[in-house]
Amino acid sequence: MRIVLLGPPGAGKGSLASLYDIRLGIAHLSTGEIFRQEIARRSALGRRVRRYVLSGRLVPDALVVEVMAARLRRARAAGFVLDGFPRTAGQAQGLDRVLARQWRRLDAAVYLISPQPLLVKRLSGRRVCSRCGANYHLRTMRPKRAGRCDRCGGRLTVRKDDQPRMIRKRLAVDRKAAAPLVAYYRRRGLLHRVNGVGNVETVYRRTLALFRRHRWLPS
Ligand code: AMP
């Protein structure tokens, strides 16, 4: 299965994609997570993207597409789910070119719909593992041990860009870029809208029903 998950910050893309990875063996590729790891490692790429990520602005399309082209080449046979990429129509075109070169194409673009107040609530309560990047929430997705990751025991932290002022900025940046992106996938007949309200298990089950109906899941 090869899909992109669309939706604003806080729509639940990361939590869902990590369930597809764990339960279905479909590689979860998150540009935000890749960038945060590279920034933490102080790599050459990390130094190039740092100022964008820390200020909530979008990394330039050409650079994002270049990074993802390399990751997609190594993706598992079971497929991939892209989380946070593409973010603009330009990136979507870049992705199509990259996949065509690899004789592959997307099955679908799944758009998670959630009202703005819910997005703000999810982002402001979010905690992220500083070691493996797993997501938690203060009220709705608590870890078993306070402040520690269930998966690796790493320390849970607040993402720098999940501060209230930055949340508003990121949602505004996304609103501007999202319409042409959604229109792009609608024109290509790949767009599927899914209700993103509810906990991660509920939304997971909704998307799984969609995947089964269209027979996108690997056998
Ligand atoms: P996320 O974890 O998806 O919220 O991404 C965190 C930050 O990484 C964003 O605010 C952007 O600065 C950057 N970023 C992630 N994905 C992309 C993308 N596809 N295009 C441009 N910038 C991105």
Side-chain angles (χ1 to χ4, degrees):
M1 177 171 84
R2 294 186 282 262
I3 63 165
V4 305
L5 272 183
L6 303 178
K13 303 185 294 295
S15 306
L16 267 184
S18 98
L19 286 187
Y20 303 147
D21 196 317
I22 293 166
R23 297 181 186 173
L24 307 173
I26 292 159
H28 171 195
L29 295 175
S30 152
T31 36
E33 193 49 40
I34 292 168
F35 293 153
R36 279 187 291 280
Q37 281 170 6
E38 297 292 328
I39 292 169
R41 286 179 46 218
R42 297 172 197 271
S43 66
L45 172 62
R47 283 197 297 274
R48 284 172 79 186
V49 300
R50 191 171 188 278
R51 62 195 164 112
Y52 299 102
V53 175
L54 294 187
S55 66
R57 285 178 299 142
L58 292 182
V59 175
D61 285 355
L63 178 54
V64 187
V65 173
E66 182 190 318
V67 170
M68 290 309 279
R71 303 273 169 155
L72 284 165
R73 235 174 276 131
R74 304 195 297 259
R76 295 172 216 158
F80 55 76
V81 50
L82 303 182
D83 153 21
F85 171 81
R87 280 270 227 291
T88 65
Q91 290 180 15
Q93 284 163 359
L95 172 62
D96 282 346
R97 279 195 299 272
V98 167
L99 291 177
R101 248 181 267 137
Q102 300 173 6
W103 300 99
R104 297 192 284 186
R105 59 194 190 85
L106 286 177
D107 292 313
V110 176
Y111 184 28
L112 297 172
I113 316 275
S114 314
Q116 169 112 353
L118 178 61
L119 301 174
V120 174
K121 226 191 254 173
R122 283 178 178 159
L123 292 170
S124 51
R126 176 157 73 181
R127 296 294 178 271
V128 182
C129 175
S130 53
R131 202 182 293 158
C132 75
N135 278 330
Y136 296 87
H137 191 278
L138 279 183
R139 282 176 302 280
T140 55
M141 264 200 292
R142 291 202 191 124
K144 294 196 180 83
R145 193 152 62 98
R148 291 284 164 185
C149 177
D150 293 348
R151 277 197 227 156
C152 73
R155 202 166 51 82
L156 301 188
T157 54
V158 179
R159 269 172 52 173
K160 285 203 176 69
D161 57 357
D162 279 344
Q163 316 288 349
R165 193 175 55 84
M166 290 288 292
I167 288 175
R168 283 195 299 277
K169 162 127 188 241
R170 285 164 59 219
L171 288 172
V173 166
D174 183 80
R175 259 197 307 279
K176 208 164 134 202
L181 182 61
V182 169
Y184 178 84
Y185 284 118
R186 187 180 296 124
R187 272 200 308 276
R188 304 209 39 219
L190 290 175
L191 189 72
H192 296 264
R193 294 156 65 95
V194 171
N195 176 4
V197 178
N199 64 26
V200 63
E201 285 296 337
T202 307
V203 184
Y204 176 79
R205 279 199 298 274
R206 275 182 207 135
T207 56
L208 207 58
L210 173 78
F211 301 161
R212 291 208 172 110
R213 218 164 40 243
H214 289 273
R215 299 180 203 282
W216 293 325
L217 290 171
S219 40

